[in-house]
Amino acid sequence: MKTNKTIISTCILLFFVLFQGFSQVDLSMEVPLDPRVRMGVLPNGLTYYIQQNPKPENKVELRLAVNAGSVLETDKQQGLAHFTEHMAFNGTRNFEKNELVSYLQSIGVSFGADLNAYTSFDETVYILPIPSDDEEKLRNGFLVLSDWADGILMREEDIDAERSIIVEEWRTGQGYSQRLRDQYLPIMLHDSKYADRLPIGKMEVVKNFKYETIRQFYRDWYRPDNLAVIAVGDAEPGLLLELIEEFFGEMENPKKAPERKYFEVPEHEETFVSILTDHEAPGIQVQLFYKHKALPTNSKEDYRNFLIRNLYGGMLTQRLDEIRQQADAPFIFAGTGYGNFVRDLDYFSASGVVAPGKVEAGIQSLIIENERVAQFGFTQAELDRVKRAVLNSAERAYKEMDKAESRLLVGRYVNHFLKGRFAEGEAWKYEFYQEIIPQISLYEVNRLAKTLVREDNRVIIITGPESEKENLPGESQVLALFEEVDQMELLPYEERLLAEQLIEVPPPPGSIVAVKHVEAVDIHEITLSNGVKVFVKPTDFKNDEIVFSARGEGGVSVYNDEDHYAASYAGVLVNVMGIGDFSPSDLRKMLAGKSVSVTANVGTYSQTISGSASPRDLEMAMQLMYLYFTDPRDDKELFEVFINNQKTQLASAQSNPDYQFSKKLNRVIADGNLRASSIYDPEELEQIERQRALEIYADRFSNAANFEFFFTGNIELETFKPLLEQYLGSLPSDPENLDSFRDMGIRAPRGKFETIEVGTDEKSQVIMLFTGELEYDRKKSTDITYLGEILTIKLIETLREEIGGVYGVGASGSMGIQPVGNFSFSVAFPCSPDMVDTLIDAAWVEIRKIQENGPSKEDLDKVKEKRRIALEENLRRNNFWNAQMSTMRLYGLPWEVVLKAKENIEAVSVERIQKAAQEFLVKENLLEVRKYPLSR
């Protein structure tokens, strides 16, 4: 028998490389917890995690994790895991109904934005960020958590009041996605208890359950051995442990506590195909799920396998994205992912959105690309790119580990307790990645194609509009696609060679002609020889972050009506077609392993650049900015792919009631002004002329002197100056001919009432929009913002808690200077159609109370405290300072305004808010829009 010596030699070499790699790391070892966290279990079985973290200062993120969700409900309790979560805010041992939310608001914790909770199949989690600079406030935070754990009162009148709020939450979620989900979930979760235990529950149960039924659920599952307390933030670990022991140590487990069972999702040999339609579905989506039992997440080998799966998914998604950009592509967009559906079930998925008539082609393309990998594998260049990206992400996290905010850390311990997920620290992760990722071979990744993509336990879901029902393939046709691919002769993927540099020959540099340092705010004002102005604020807020933006006057407004759509899409098209010699796909490859992002846009009154970079990649960011100014790319094929995909999506969206509402609302607010109109109909896309859009883009970015640039972050100024000279100082400019925006007469109608009828679900929406022209005033701008936050507090108390007519409601206000001084204030909420009049009347009652008496000092103080805390945190964030610099220049305000922000908070008074309500919230300023179902 003849042997192939080359193959044998290759195998020996492969074995040697793998053996050498594995020998360096004992993969059987358990992945350690972050050494900064202190984990333990109290004698009563309650688990705790404690980590001291200095960012942001004076705040601790608290979580109460309950290892119980909807899957543990009995038939008579369906929806009561979620209902129990609601009852935690409706009276506890130490806080009467509404008292809890009111108290937390008084110390700067907002309901919804900060204070929140969620319920899923297997768990319930309560979220509470709490100030830590005051021991009483910190103690009260733990008091709240302990009340949730075993002190929810469950009074009959409070339960009854909450029923209607749950119904409104359910109503808000109704629509085509819910109807389709309710049909395919039982197939995804085939023959398991999960299939019949959606967390929202059944409304007949919610409306009618007996009081003792929910109390029994609470007693059964809210017990120490089923709970974890997680505390991450700016406080001594010893103090946090003392508080956990004090507030939770005396809790007792029930003597006859039910066993916390875990539920399987049975495997199945056959392929399940679900083809579903709905009259309101906005498009056709195909999803291929390859399910399997949840994989372990304990050892280093488990972690290594997790990384290999991520590398595989990242490369395959990149290939699908390249296909998406081809003419006559089989899908509009597509991607792959690996995830966990419920605790017992992991999956690998490939999904896409397809145009009518391309369902089979889309599904087959997803199958083909997996098979192409199975036959030929990925290329080494593909693997190297995705490895660079993964290593870069780990390195950035490591560099920022002393600057990471607590809210970004606390979730890892919640998931460690509930799901057994990895909770390694950034230092260990970075070291492990550096060691293990270079050892992962192309062979190992490629062989996943045969293990992730299986013939058993496979589910295919196709969803689309009712109008396409007759055109969708049947189950047998879908299954036949797999057999067809097996018979195909495929070709390997071809890697396209790219230039090694973004800019082969650097432009001749300009020079810095003036530098001014504003010491009070540590901002450097730099003027370049071409007239470009740059504002730089070096900070130490983050170790590996620089945020930047640029803004020039003019935007779409400087063009005539016939250019409206071309101008409006000019920035979008450049982002679609690329810059220099690089398509968007090429750019992603070039930037793999780099921490840099740059985006250009042409807006209504200005054209902008925005992005971020690590200090190491700052020069690349500057090169990208230079190319966005000087070399937008023309690509007819990418343009046509984009326009055709947009046409397909707009045509499909016409049947969706949410889309119909947005379309009609835009027309109402535009009030007949073309320049305020967006594109909602596919035929309108024909008005976008590619060459004209590129001409407009080039014109908007032709004069760099028309721009001001803002940089904040970890910037070494003397190293940065040459980059400014090289890439911004060399931009074409004409300081003598600067643009300004033009007033196009865009104004929302006032004193008008509109009714919009769309959809069939019994749900409505109300928008009360107050607008008008008014010279900009900083105090009034502050007042209208505060008015929105105060009115939100009152509307939640009344419309939600007293009336029970809404799940969510909000109000917000602002002032601006473009195109003229103006104000805008809105109140919005979804509700039942038969409650619209009642709730609008109730909203006006709250508005009039403020107009006649002013807000209560208590409510004003709540907003002030929230603002104080937000200001303290924002003053240590790069994004905040970047936005502030841009705003100060736009509004012509002195830099020191930022430093006086705390004084401005203290200066806001009851009288000022009352006056703002009287001035702004009057019916002559009002556009009231009501949405009703068509069946009304």
Side-chain angles (χ1 to χ4, degrees):
M1 183 179 70
K2 294 183 178 179
T3 59
N4 189 320
K5 294 182 180 180
T6 303
I7 292 176
I8 292 175
S9 300
T10 301
C11 290
I12 292 172
L13 177 62
L14 175 63
F15 175 81
F16 178 76
V17 170
L18 292 175
F19 178 80
Q20 287 291 96
F22 291 146
S23 67
Q24 297 172 24
V25 181
D26 183 356
L27 294 176
S28 66
M29 292 180 64
E30 194 170 297
V31 174
L33 275 176
D34 189 328
R36 297 171 297 174
V37 71
R38 184 173 179 177
M39 177 189 173
V41 180
L42 298 183
N44 60 9
L46 182 137
T47 304
Y48 62 81
Y49 299 79
I50 297 169
Q51 180 180 330
Q52 185 171 18
N53 188 66
K55 295 272 291 183
E57 295 178 0
N58 304 321
K59 178 180 279 189
V60 171
E61 291 285 345
L62 297 179
R63 301 291 186 272
L64 178 69
V66 186
N67 188 23
S70 59
V71 76
L72 296 177
E73 297 165 345
T74 65
D75 289 345
K76 293 181 179 180
Q77 292 174 334
Q78 291 186 69
L80 300 196
H82 175 239
F83 206 120
T84 299
E85 171 216 312
H86 274 240
M87 292 308 297
F89 303 93
N90 282 282
T92 63
R93 182 169 49 233
N94 291 285
F95 296 92
E96 286 295 319
K97 179 179 171 69
N98 298 329
E99 188 178 295
L100 171 61
V101 172
S102 181
Y103 166 71
L104 291 172
Q105 287 172 336
S106 74
I107 61 173
V109 180
S110 297
F111 182 56
D114 301 317
L115 171 69
N116 216 322
Y118 70 85
T119 303
S120 65
F121 285 111
D122 278 297
E123 69 256 11
T124 306
V125 178
Y126 297 86
I127 300 166
L128 177 60
I130 203 80
S132 61
D133 57 339
D134 182 309
E135 187 172 346
E136 181 184 359
K137 294 176 183 177
L138 184 59
R139 287 182 61 82
N140 283 338
F142 282 91
L143 180 65
V144 171
L145 253 64
S146 68
D147 271 12
W148 288 339
D150 76 339
I152 302 176
L153 297 180
M154 298 284 185
R155 287 182 295 218
E156 295 179 2
E157 62 270 24
D158 296 330
I159 291 172
D160 288 337
E162 197 66 22
R163 294 181 198 266
S164 62
I165 295 173
I166 300 283
V167 170
E168 286 309 312
E169 182 178 358
W170 167 82
R171 188 192 312 278
T172 300
Q174 294 301 288
Y176 78 91
S177 60
Q178 161 265 324
R179 291 191 291 271
L180 294 172
R181 179 197 64 204
D182 288 354
Q183 293 179 74
Y184 68 67
L185 265 183
I187 299 169
M188 276 292 297
L189 301 170
H190 167 68
D191 204 22
S192 74
K193 191 174 180 183
Y194 290 105
D196 195 36
R197 287 295 184 270
L198 289 179
I200 194 65
K202 294 185 176 180
M203 289 307 103
E204 59 266 30
V205 173
V206 168
K207 294 174 182 177
N208 301 302
F209 69 86
K210 295 179 180 180
Y211 306 120
E212 187 57 27
T213 308
I214 191 171
R215 292 168 184 157
Q216 187 63 52
F217 182 90
Y218 183 54
R219 284 194 299 267
D220 284 345
W221 305 116
Y222 282 61
R223 62 189 203 229
D225 65 358
N226 211 37
L227 302 176
V229 173
I230 301 98
V232 178
D234 189 19
E236 289 293 330
L239 172 60
L240 295 175
L241 179 55
E242 287 176 11
L243 291 169
I244 290 173
E245 292 173 333
E246 176 183 349
F247 286 99
F248 296 90
E250 299 301 317
M251 282 183 63
E252 296 181 0
N253 291 296
K255 291 181 180 179
K256 295 183 179 180
E259 177 190 356
R260 198 323 184 175
K261 294 181 180 179
Y262 294 89
F263 300 89
E264 291 188 345
V265 179
E267 296 189 328
H268 48 91
E269 292 187 7
E270 65 270 49
T271 297
F272 293 150
V273 179
S274 179
I275 303 165
L276 306 170
T277 59
D278 188 274
H279 62 285
E280 293 179 351
I284 304 173
Q285 185 174 11
V286 297
Q287 301 175 82
L288 279 64
F289 290 96
Y290 302 91
K291 306 186 296 178
H292 57 80
K293 291 295 181 182
L295 296 176
T297 52
N298 300 309
S299 68
K300 290 182 178 181
E301 184 173 11
D302 297 336
Y303 205 126
R304 188 177 190 275
N305 291 334
F306 161 77
L307 285 173
I308 293 173
R309 293 193 295 272
N310 281 347
L311 295 174
Y312 182 98
M315 288 187 285
L316 188 52
T317 295
Q318 177 63 42
R319 285 192 179 183
L320 294 175
D321 191 62
E322 290 180 25
I323 294 172
R324 174 188 67 82
Q325 298 175 62
Q326 296 172 4
D328 200 33
F331 42 72
I332 296 170
F333 51 82
T336 66
Y338 187 90
N340 174 262
F341 206 85
V342 293
R343 290 192 187 173
D344 182 59
L345 182 63
D346 283 356
Y347 64 86
F348 175 73
S349 68
S351 60
V353 173
V354 301
K358 290 189 176 182
V359 176
E360 290 164 282
I363 294 173
Q364 193 166 69
S365 180
L366 297 176
I367 300 170
I368 285 171
E369 293 313 311
N370 270 311
E371 181 61 26
R372 196 186 310 278
V373 175
Q375 289 186 28
F376 305 105
F378 293 105
T379 67
Q380 190 62 48
E382 288 177 293
L383 181 59
D384 290 342
R385 278 196 299 271
V386 73
K387 280 185 174 183
R388 288 197 300 271
V390 170
L391 279 168
N392 179 65
S393 175
E395 182 181 5
R396 291 202 79 190
Y398 171 66
K399 288 180 177 179
E400 300 289 12
M401 62 184 290
D402 63 327
K403 303 291 177 67
E405 295 196 7
S406 299
R407 61 186 172 85
L408 302 177
L409 302 176
V410 67
R412 66 173 64 160
Y413 305 122
V414 172
N415 286 328
H416 183 268
F417 170 71
L418 293 171
K419 303 174 183 177
R421 299 284 174 80
F422 299 118
E424 78 288 0
E426 286 78 8
W428 182 91
K429 178 178 178 178
Y430 181 47
E431 182 180 349
F432 182 72
Y433 276 34
Q434 284 183 304
E435 190 169 11
I436 212 72
I437 286 181
Q439 299 174 14
I440 295 174
S441 69
L442 189 60
Y443 168 79
E444 289 179 273
V445 180
N446 288 342
R447 70 182 181 183
L448 268 186
K450 290 297 187 183
T451 57
L452 285 181
V453 180
R454 303 152 48 151
E455 293 185 3
D456 64 329
N457 230 30
R458 187 166 60 187
V459 177
I460 302 167
I461 298 171
I462 303 171
T463 59
E466 187 74 23
S467 59
E468 285 294 317
K469 186 172 184 177
E470 299 302 318
N471 301 319
L472 298 178
E475 179 178 341
S476 60
Q477 292 171 286
V478 172
L479 293 175
L481 296 173
F482 290 90
E483 297 176 9
E484 290 176 18
V485 172
D486 288 341
Q487 304 304 315
M488 289 182 179
E489 291 188 15
L490 303 179
L491 297 174
Y493 170 81
E494 291 186 7
E495 183 80 24
R496 194 167 78 87
L497 293 177
L498 299 175
E500 294 185 1
Q501 302 290 329
L502 285 173
I503 298 176
E504 295 294 342
V505 180
S511 61
I512 293 174
V513 296
V515 178
K516 176 185 176 183
H517 183 216
V518 185
E519 292 188 14
V521 286
D522 193 23
I523 291 173
H524 302 265
E525 301 181 0
I526 300 172
T527 305
L528 299 173
S529 52
N530 58 353
V532 169
K533 290 187 180 297
V534 184
F535 303 89
V536 183
K537 180 174 175 60
T539 73
D540 60 0
F541 307 152
K542 290 279 191 178
N543 300 319
D544 201 41
E545 178 183 81
I546 296 171
V547 177
F548 50 83
S549 61
R551 185 181 180 282
E553 295 284 348
V556 175
S557 74
V558 300
Y559 301 98
N560 294 325
D561 287 1
E562 57 266 27
D563 285 329
H564 172 64
Y565 290 123
S568 297
Y569 274 75
V572 174
L573 293 179
V574 169
N575 288 311
V576 164
M577 296 189 291
I579 51 175
D581 296 326
F582 302 94
S583 70
S585 181
D586 294 337
L587 277 176
R588 278 190 286 275
K589 293 180 180 180
M590 276 289 293
L591 301 178
K594 307 291 185 183
S595 298
V596 56
S597 171
V598 181
T599 302
N601 186 48
V602 179
T604 303
Y605 300 111
S606 63
Q607 53 277 350
T608 60
I609 295 275
S610 60
S612 63
S614 69
R616 179 180 61 191
D617 298 321
L618 182 56
E619 181 168 7
M620 181 167 276
M622 301 298 287
Q623 291 176 344
L624 287 168
M625 275 192 274
Y626 180 84
L627 290 174
Y628 271 111
F629 268 89
T630 62
D631 199 5
R633 183 171 178 269
D634 185 11
D635 190 315
K636 183 180 179 181
E637 184 174 292
L638 282 179
F639 169 80
E640 290 178 351
V641 168
F642 171 76
I643 293 296
N644 288 334
N645 285 344
Q646 288 290 300
K647 286 180 179 178
T648 298
Q649 290 179 284
L650 290 181
S652 298
Q654 300 301 318
S655 61
N656 179 259
D658 292 334
Y659 185 83
Q660 295 169 14
F661 178 66
S662 295
K663 176 179 175 179
K664 293 180 179 181
L665 181 63
N666 174 258
R667 289 177 177 170
V668 168
I669 294 176
D671 201 24
N673 190 330
L674 169 70
R675 309 310 298 274
S677 300
S678 301
I679 286 181
Y680 284 92
D681 295 312
E683 58 271 16
E684 293 174 332
L685 290 163
E686 298 292 343
Q687 300 180 58
I688 302 173
E689 203 279 313
R690 185 181 93 259
Q691 290 296 338
R692 181 56 181 150
L694 280 172
E695 290 171 4
I696 289 171
Y697 179 92
D699 179 50
R700 288 299 81 221
F701 288 85
S702 63
N703 185 1
N706 200 45
F707 285 76
E708 293 186 335
F709 293 78
F710 307 93
F711 294 84
T712 55
N714 187 9
I715 300 168
E716 203 292 303
L717 197 59
E718 294 310 310
T719 305
F720 185 41
K721 286 179 179 177
L723 297 180
L724 292 176
E725 293 174 321
Q726 181 83 69
Y727 297 108
L728 299 189
S730 58
L731 290 172
S733 65
D734 183 0
E736 302 302 317
N737 290 290
L738 303 182
D739 285 338
S740 184
F741 66 87
R742 181 169 64 91
D743 185 353
M744 299 180 290
I746 297 174
R747 307 288 191 276
R750 303 160 67 220
K752 190 173 181 180
F753 300 84
E754 291 282 345
T755 296
I756 297 174
E757 295 189 0
V758 293
T760 57
D761 290 305
E762 282 295 304
K763 58 181 183 180
S764 285
Q765 187 169 345
V766 173
I767 298 174
M768 301 165 66
L769 178 63
F770 300 86
T771 60
E773 295 182 18
L774 186 69
E775 184 178 354
Y776 179 81
D777 178 275
R778 268 199 312 120
K779 285 185 178 180
K780 288 186 177 182
S781 180
T782 299
D783 296 344
I784 196 172
T785 304
Y786 277 55
L787 174 60
E789 295 187 36
I790 290 169
L791 185 57
T792 296
I793 292 172
K794 306 315 294 181
L795 293 176
I796 290 173
E797 290 176 357
T798 304
L799 274 63
R800 174 176 164 134
E801 300 302 330
E802 291 181 18
I803 300 174
V806 301
Y807 173 63
V809 58
S812 62
S814 63
M815 290 192 72
I817 61 171
Q818 291 181 331
V820 295
N822 65 85
F823 69 86
S824 176
F825 189 97
S826 66
V827 176
F829 53 86
C831 64
S832 169
D834 60 5
M835 289 294 291
V836 168
D837 289 331
T838 299
L839 295 171
I840 290 175
D841 290 344
W844 273 110
V845 168
E846 294 304 321
I847 290 170
R848 292 190 185 103
K849 285 179 183 177
I850 298 175
Q851 291 173 330
E852 293 168 6
N853 307 309
S856 69
K857 185 176 184 301
E858 179 185 12
D859 286 337
L860 177 57
D861 287 343
K862 289 176 184 177
V863 175
K864 283 187 174 183
E865 185 62 17
K866 174 189 169 185
R867 289 279 172 163
R868 290 186 197 102
I869 292 172
L871 177 64
E872 289 175 7
E873 294 177 6
N874 283 332
L875 287 172
R876 301 288 298 170
R877 289 174 175 147
N878 291 319
N879 277 312
F880 173 80
W881 274 101
N882 196 270
Q884 288 296 302
M885 288 196 295
S886 179
T887 300
M888 294 301 107
R889 294 293 298 176
L890 174 63
Y891 283 74
L893 301 172
W895 297 119
E896 289 74 16
V897 165
V898 183
L899 300 180
K900 294 180 180 178
K902 192 169 184 179
E903 296 176 25
N904 293 336
I905 291 172
E906 304 306 326
V908 179
S909 65
V910 167
E911 291 74 22
R912 279 173 51 178
I913 302 301
Q914 180 182 10
K915 186 176 180 181
Q918 294 169 344
E919 182 174 8
F920 299 123
L921 306 188
V922 294
K923 291 201 172 180
E924 47 265 43
N925 295 334
L926 174 64
L927 167 63
E928 183 182 288
V929 180
R930 304 177 178 204
K931 183 184 87 169
Y932 287 104
L934 285 168
S935 57
R936 170 176 168 254

